[in-house]
């Protein structure tokens, strides 16, 4: 997984040395949303996922070197705000908050900034709703059929998944890197034969640290191993990232037609 500024811009590097005097406001985390159905179980991590994070507070007392890493991270956060990487900065700040609690994302904002993600959600909903309708129609009328998809990886390929020529694309790349998404919903056939659809999208990721990755900032390197040490000595704490979209309602659902694109209403909040 790639996190905050694994390939920082020159703007960010310069900002590190002046940003300590500058204040910037992070995007406000959204409230936990209720859903139609529970999401699928959290996906299993890939081989090596989070290995350098270790177990929280398993590494003894923090050393001076680890406290210096913490100070560098705080500069990264402020520099990220200046560079326009508000989500990447917010993710790192939550890591340093040292609570280990879930961070909840605005899925609508992600769909605005990552068009391929929005298209992926639409395709999952399209295919799953059609299959659910087929099952429901065999039961007659006044019936409902629910569905929950497995997790799908939103990865680094194609390159258009994260358009790093834009600030927003780079921001999510540094904040999340690859993440998983899924869709759940319900197709309903009324007594009169009217068909409707409701569905939501979910996002999941683990904010942790791997071996063999790192970042160079202003000529100084910080490795994932060093970042993971902050978790081991209790100066920071890894956590899960989650998001649930608002309910998308298709009042008149026709399985032979393409679904409307998922709603992004509310995606501009806190931007």
């Amino acid at each position: 997984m790639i996190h905050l500024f694994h390939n920082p811009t020159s703007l960010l590097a310069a900002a590190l040395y002046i940003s300590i005097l500058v204040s910037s406001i992070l995007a406000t985390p959204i409230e936990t949303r209720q859903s139609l159905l529970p999401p699928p179980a959290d996906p299993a991590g890939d081989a090596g996922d989070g290995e350098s994070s270790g177990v929280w507070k398993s590494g003894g007392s923090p050393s001076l070197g680890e406290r210096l890493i913490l100070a560098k991270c705080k500069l990264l956060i402020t520099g990220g705000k200046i560079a326009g990487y508000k989500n990447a900065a917010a993710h790192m700040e939550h890591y340093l908050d040292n609570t280990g609690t879930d961070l909840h994302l605005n899925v609508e904002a992600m769909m605005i900034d990552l068009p391929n993600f929005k298209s992926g959600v639409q395709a999952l909903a399209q295919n799953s709703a059609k299959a659910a309708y087929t099952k429901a129609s065999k039961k007659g009328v006044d019936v409902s059929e629910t569905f929950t998809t497995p997790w799908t990886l939103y990865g680094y390929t194609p390159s258009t998944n994260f358009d790093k020529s834009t600030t927003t694309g780079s921001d999510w790349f540094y904040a999340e890197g690859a993440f998983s998404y899924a869709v759940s919903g319900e197709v309903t056939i009324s007594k009169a034969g009217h068909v409707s659809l409701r569905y939501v999208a979910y996002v999941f990721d683990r904010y942790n640290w791997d071996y063999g990755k790192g970042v160079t900032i202003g000529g100084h390197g910080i490795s994932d191993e060093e970042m993971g040490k902050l978790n081991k000595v209790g100066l920071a704490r890894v956590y899960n990232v989650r998001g649930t979209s608002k309910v998308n309602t298709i009042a008149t659902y026709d399985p032979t037609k393409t679904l409307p694109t998922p709603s992004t209403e509310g995606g501009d909040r806190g931007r």
Side-chain angles (χ1 to χ4, degrees):
M1 147 180 298
I2 291 182
H3 292 312
L4 183 60
F5 317 133
H6 279 222
N7 294 290
T9 63
S10 58
L11 173 61
L12 176 57
L16 293 175
Y17 299 99
I18 63 172
S19 60
I20 196 66
L21 300 177
V22 181
S23 174
S24 181
I25 300 174
L26 286 174
T28 303
I30 69 169
E31 74 281 358
T32 303
R33 291 176 177 169
Q34 298 298 314
S35 178
L36 296 170
L37 297 167
D42 294 347
D46 295 331
D49 182 34
E51 282 188 346
S52 72
S53 304
V55 178
W56 185 62
K57 276 191 172 182
S58 64
S61 300
S63 66
L64 175 60
E66 286 149 358
R67 294 191 183 278
L68 288 174
I69 294 171
L70 178 64
K72 288 182 181 180
C73 289
K74 291 180 179 179
L75 286 174
L76 270 174
I77 290 169
T78 310
K81 297 174 187 178
I82 294 172
Y85 300 151
K86 62 178 184 181
N87 291 295
H91 281 57
M92 175 67 80
E93 189 161 61
H94 192 62
Y95 179 58
L96 299 188
D97 282 345
N98 204 16
T99 63
T101 57
D102 291 350
L103 181 66
H104 293 274
L105 301 183
N106 186 318
V107 176
E108 286 74 26
M110 295 180 73
M111 288 194 287
I112 290 174
D113 295 339
L114 304 172
N116 285 5
F117 169 50
K118 180 169 69 173
S119 297
V121 169
Q122 181 185 21
L124 274 186
Q126 178 84 41
N127 295 333
S128 301
K130 186 174 183 179
Y133 169 78
T134 298
K135 291 181 180 179
S137 62
K138 293 177 180 179
K139 300 176 184 178
V141 296
D142 196 20
V143 295
S144 294
E145 186 72 29
T146 60
F147 60 88
T148 299
T149 71
W151 291 106
T152 296
L153 180 67
Y154 190 83
Y156 307 121
T157 55
S159 59
T160 52
N161 273 0
F162 297 96
D163 183 359
K164 287 178 281 185
S165 68
T166 67
T167 299
T168 53
S170 294
D171 183 20
W172 286 113
F173 177 77
Y174 297 135
E176 286 293 314
F179 61 88
S180 299
Y181 66 99
V183 170
S184 72
E186 180 179 51
V187 173
T188 300
I189 303 177
S190 71
K191 289 182 179 180
H194 182 79
V195 185
S196 60
L197 166 67
R198 297 188 303 155
Y199 74 91
V200 297
Y202 305 104
V203 167
F204 178 86
D205 193 19
R206 293 181 177 88
Y207 195 86
N208 53 20
W209 306 95
D210 308 331
Y211 286 119
K213 295 180 182 178
V215 57
T216 299
I217 302 169
H220 300 282
I222 301 177
S223 68
D224 268 32
E225 286 86 344
E226 290 176 297
M227 297 303 299
K229 285 181 181 179
L230 298 183
N231 185 71
K232 292 176 183 176
V233 300
L235 291 177
R237 194 165 186 176
V238 298
Y239 60 89
N240 291 330
V241 179
R242 301 182 190 276
T244 302
S245 75
K246 294 180 178 178
V247 177
N248 286 265
T249 300
I250 313 299
T252 301
Y253 170 62
D254 183 343
T256 67
K257 295 181 179 180
T258 301
L259 285 181
T261 57
S263 172
T264 56
E265 182 181 357
D268 288 327
R269 181 175 56 185
R271 298 167 69 81

